[in-house]
């Protein structure tokens, strides 16, 4: 009986570990296409890399314009499974934007390799690009990172990152759009 219980615990352990950065729900990953091209196909009239006007849309409006996987993460705070997102293990130079609204979030120079399975950054682009709120949703104290323009869930902020900030912005790939630098 103890052996069965031990093996059952080993099988369930990864489910609990995946909860560290949020609720574990698998999301679809899109190919690495330039963000403006991808979003223009979706017909999102609020998507912009230059407009910083705060957005205040209803949940129903977001549900109409966002793909389901982006909607679930951005508006419902779901989290993609670790090591499955399109940006967790890339070192291509470029710029990361909010997948819901196009707000500039990070430059690739602030990205670092972490072992958490999600894209990690040590610094946001500017003080207004990301805002924060306390998150106790899974029984542990965390700091939720939200887009400064649309309020969409991006991931969480932790104090275990590298110098110079000591911060780790643990982001969902599905919440990010990436535009590579021109060659």
């Amino acid at each position: 009986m103890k052996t069965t219980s031990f093996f059952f615990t080993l099988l369930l352990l990864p489910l609990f570990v995946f909860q560290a950065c949020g609720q574990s729900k698998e999301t679809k990953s899109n190919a690495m296409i330039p963000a403006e091209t991808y979003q223009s196909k979706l017909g999102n009239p609020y998507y912009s890399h230059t407009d910083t006007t705060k957005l205040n849309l209803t949940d129903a409006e977001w549900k109409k314009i966002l793909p389901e996987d982006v909607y679930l993460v951005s508006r419902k705070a779901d989290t993609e499974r670790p090591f499955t997102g399109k940006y967790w293990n890339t070192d291509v130079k470029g710029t990361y934007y909010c997948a819901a609204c196009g707000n500039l979030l990070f430059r690739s120079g602030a990205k670092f390799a972490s072992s958490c399975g999600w894209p990690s950054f040590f610094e946001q682009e500017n003080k207004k690009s990301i805002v924060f709120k306390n998150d106790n949703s899974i029984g542990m104290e965390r700091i939720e990172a939200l887009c400064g323009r649309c309020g969409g869930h991006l991931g969480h902020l932790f104090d275990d990152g590298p110098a110079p900030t000591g911060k780790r912005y643990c982001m969902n790939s599905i919440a990010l759009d990436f535009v590579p630098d021109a060659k």
Side-chain angles (χ1 to χ4, degrees), residues 77-128:
D78 273 356
T79 299
E80 65 195 358
R81 290 182 16 202
F83 307 103
T84 63
K86 58 191 166 204
Y87 305 127
W88 80 270
N89 195 26
T90 183
D91 61 357
V92 177
K93 300 298 179 211
T95 306
Y96 292 86
Y97 299 89
C98 174
C101 73
N103 188 36
L104 174 58
L105 302 172
F106 302 102
R107 304 274 184 195
S108 60
K111 189 172 187 292
F112 68 97
S114 74
S115 59
C116 71
W118 290 273
S120 298
F121 303 85
F122 61 80
E123 170 177 70
Q124 64 194 61
E125 175 54 26
N126 65 61
K127 292 190 184 297
K128 294 182 180 180

Side-chain angles (χ1 to χ4, degrees), residues 41-102:
K41 289 179 184 176
L42 299 176
N44 180 344
Y46 305 102
Y47 191 91
S48 173
H49 287 180
T50 56
D51 186 356
T52 57
T53 306
K54 293 250 188 218
L55 295 173
N56 190 18
L57 280 65
T58 66
D59 188 60
E61 289 172 303
W62 282 117
K63 194 167 191 163
K64 283 182 197 174
I65 61 174
L66 296 177
E68 183 181 8
D69 52 358
V70 175
Y71 170 80
L72 289 173
V73 170
S74 179
R75 308 323 301 176
K76 298 299 180 186
D78 273 356
T79 299
E80 65 195 358
R81 290 182 16 202
F83 307 103
T84 63
K86 58 191 166 204
Y87 305 127
W88 80 270
N89 195 26
T90 183
D91 61 357
V92 177
K93 300 298 179 211
T95 306
Y96 292 86
Y97 299 89
C98 174
C101 73

Side-chain angles (χ1 to χ4, degrees), residues 1-13:
M1 186 70 163
K2 286 183 181 180
T3 305
T4 304
S5 198
F6 173 75
F7 287 114
F8 184 70
T9 302
L10 284 178
L11 288 171
L12 289 179
L13 184 60

Side-chain angles (χ1 to χ4, degrees), residues 152-183:
H153 174 78
L154 302 168
H156 290 87
L157 178 65
F158 299 98
D159 288 323
D160 59 359
T165 65
K167 301 293 183 190
R168 175 172 56 96
Y169 293 76
C170 182
M171 303 289 100
N172 289 286
S173 288
I174 198 69
L176 304 173
D177 277 336
F178 177 75
V179 175
D181 287 345
K183 295 200 183 224

Side-chain angles (χ1 to χ4, degrees), residues 16 19-22 134-143 156 158:
F16 295 108
Q19 297 286 329
C21 278
N134 290 332
D135 176 10
N136 299 310
S137 63
I138 63 167
M140 64 187 280
E141 191 174 313
R142 299 178 298 169
I143 299 172
H156 290 87
F158 299 98

